[in-house]
Amino acid sequence: MAMVSMKFFVPSLNSPNLRPTKRYSGMAVAASNQDAVALGVTVTQGEGNLPKLLLTSDHGSEAEIYLFGGCITSWKVPSGRDLLFVRPDAVFDKKKPISGGIPHCFPQFGPGLMQQHGFARNMDWSLVESENVEGNPNVTLELKDGPYSRAMWDFSFQARYKVVLNTKSLSTELKVTNTDNKPFTFSTALHSYFRASITGVSVKGLKGCKTLNKDPDPNNPIEGREERDAITFPGFVDCIYLDAPNEVHLDNGLGDVISIRNTNWSDAVLWNPHLQMEACYKDFVCVENAKIGTIQLEPEQSWIAKQHLSIA
C-alpha cells in the first residue's frame, strides 16, 4: 500500500486534539505498543488485559479489535448501537479463541486435519499500519507463521487484514500471501456474529444457491437448493451456501437491516445454535462470508477477499 510521505509524529492517549491534514500513515508498531498510530486509533487494554485497538470516526462510529486473533469485537454506528455480538461465555485468556465478533477461520474452515477453524483466531496479530482518511480511521494487521502454526501447518505465509471504519460501514480486506518455496492450499471464513433478536431475524439474497445443510449430521451434509426468499431461524441452523451472491441483507430483528457485501468470498454460512447455547442463542445470528473450497497458492502468489458491512 502506498504511504503518504510526511513527518512521523507520535500521538499519545493524552493528545485528543491532534488534527493531521488530509491523511496520516502510522509507522509499524508492535502488538502491545501505542507509539506512532494515526488519529482515531488508540491502543489500549481490553478484557483480560489483552491489547485492543479502538477505532473512532469523526462521525460517531466506533470499532474495537483485539490483536489476539485479529478479532473485531465491536462495531458501533453513530446511534450507539453495537451491531456485533460477543457471547457471554467468551474468555479473554488466550487459552481459546474469542467467541464472538468477527473471528478468523484460517487456514481451515470447520473440522479437518488441524484444530477446528485453524489457528489464526488463536494467535497474536501485529498492527503494522494505521491511517486516518477524512476522519475515518483504518488499520492493517499482520499474521505470520511461527512455531505454533507450523506444528499444525508447516508453511511460511503472511496474512494482512485491513479494517476500515466509516460513518455507517465497516470494511475489511484479507490478503494471504505464500512466502514459502512450495505451494499450499487453505480454506477460510469470517465467522461474523451479529447482535439480533432471533425470532425476528431474516436473511435475503440466497435464493437459488446450492446448499450443504449440516443439520442433523455435520459430518454428512445434505445437498439441496435454497428456495426461500427470506431465510428465518425457528430452530437450529447450520447451512453452507455455495457460489453465493456478492450481497445479502440481514434483518437483525432489532430494527437494523445490514448489507453484507463481498468480493471473492465465494460462499456463505448461516448458523444459530438454538438450544445448544440456551443462554444466548436468541441474541445473535452468524452470517459468514467464506471460501469453503480449497485455494491453492504458488510461492509469492496472493489471494485477496473483501467484506463490506453497512446500514442505510
Side-chain angles (χ1 to χ4, degrees):
M1 180 182 298
M3 303 278 284
V4 175
S5 176
M6 62 189 304
K7 291 182 180 179
F8 291 119
F9 77 167
V10 182
S12 73
L13 300 180
N14 299 317
S15 305
N17 297 317
L18 293 172
R19 289 291 183 271
T21 57
K22 295 185 179 178
R23 180 165 162 164
Y24 171 82
S25 293
M27 298 162 58
V29 277
S32 60
N33 195 337
Q34 67 184 34
D35 292 343
V37 291
L39 184 70
V41 180
T42 302
V43 183
T44 184
Q45 286 187 334
E47 297 287 334
N49 293 322
L50 297 181
K52 181 180 74 172
L53 306 178
L54 176 62
L55 277 59
T56 306
S57 166
D58 283 356
H59 311 290
S61 54
E62 294 182 356
E64 295 181 359
I65 311 168
Y66 278 79
L67 295 183
F68 178 68
C71 186
I72 303 170
T73 54
S74 175
W75 169 38
K76 292 180 180 177
V77 291
S79 67
R81 296 192 310 279
D82 196 334
L83 300 182
L84 299 182
F85 181 79
V86 175
R87 285 169 22 195
D89 62 338
V91 295
F92 295 81
D93 60 4
K94 293 192 177 183
K95 293 181 180 178
K96 59 183 294 188
I98 296 170
S99 299
I102 308 181
H104 291 274
C105 303
F106 174 86
Q108 173 185 286
F109 175 77
L113 297 177
M114 66 188 82
Q115 63 194 19
Q116 176 86 356
H117 292 323
F119 50 71
R121 61 185 190 153
N122 300 73
M123 296 180 67
D124 285 317
W125 294 57
S126 297
L127 173 61
V128 294
E129 186 176 332
S130 63
E131 296 178 307
N132 190 300
V133 182
E134 297 179 350
N136 297 310
N138 67 75
V139 295
T140 300
L141 308 185
E142 182 180 72
L143 181 69
K144 292 183 176 181
D145 55 283
Y148 178 77
S149 68
R150 281 186 168 273
M152 289 175 267
W153 195 62
D154 193 17
F155 296 99
S156 176
F157 72 93
Q158 177 197 63
R160 286 212 164 190
Y161 188 52
K162 183 175 183 179
V163 181
V164 180
L165 178 67
N166 279 284
T167 308
K168 293 186 177 181
S169 68
L170 183 72
S171 303
T172 65
E173 177 184 288
L174 177 64
K175 180 179 181 181
V176 178
T177 301
N178 183 346
T179 56
D180 212 313
N181 58 9
K182 55 185 180 293
F184 61 62
T185 60
F186 66 95
S187 58
T188 182
L190 296 177
H191 200 317
S192 306
Y193 288 70
F194 293 95
R195 189 176 302 276
S197 175
I198 198 64
T199 55
V201 167
S202 66
V203 176
K204 295 182 178 179
L206 294 170
K207 185 177 181 180
C209 289
K210 181 180 178 180
T211 58
L212 297 175
N213 193 341
K214 298 168 76 173
D215 178 33
D217 184 359
N219 296 316
N220 294 286
I222 301 168
E223 294 187 15
R225 194 162 295 277
E226 183 57 68
E227 299 179 351
R228 294 168 290 179
D229 289 315
I231 300 161
T232 55
F233 296 77
F236 178 84
V237 174
D238 189 359
C239 192
I240 294 170
Y241 292 79
L242 300 176
D243 298 320
N246 60 13
E247 183 174 19
V248 300
H249 290 92
L250 165 65
D251 184 332
N252 65 9
L254 298 170
D256 305 293
V257 176
I258 303 169
S259 165
I260 304 172
R261 287 171 28 211
N262 84 86
T263 302
N264 214 28
W265 289 106
S266 58
D267 311 304
V269 182
L270 301 184
W271 180 65
N272 181 271
H274 199 54
L275 296 179
Q276 292 181 8
M277 293 184 186
E278 194 167 2
C280 64
Y281 80 90
K282 296 178 182 179
D283 302 322
F284 78 92
V285 65
C286 286
V287 183
E288 310 169 32
N289 277 317
K291 193 76 171 180
I292 302 300
T294 56
I295 305 153
Q296 177 163 319
L297 290 182
E298 299 296 324
E300 299 183 4
Q301 280 190 333
S302 297
W303 174 85
I304 298 174
K306 300 178 182 180
Q307 175 173 272
H308 183 77
L309 309 177
S310 63
I311 59 170

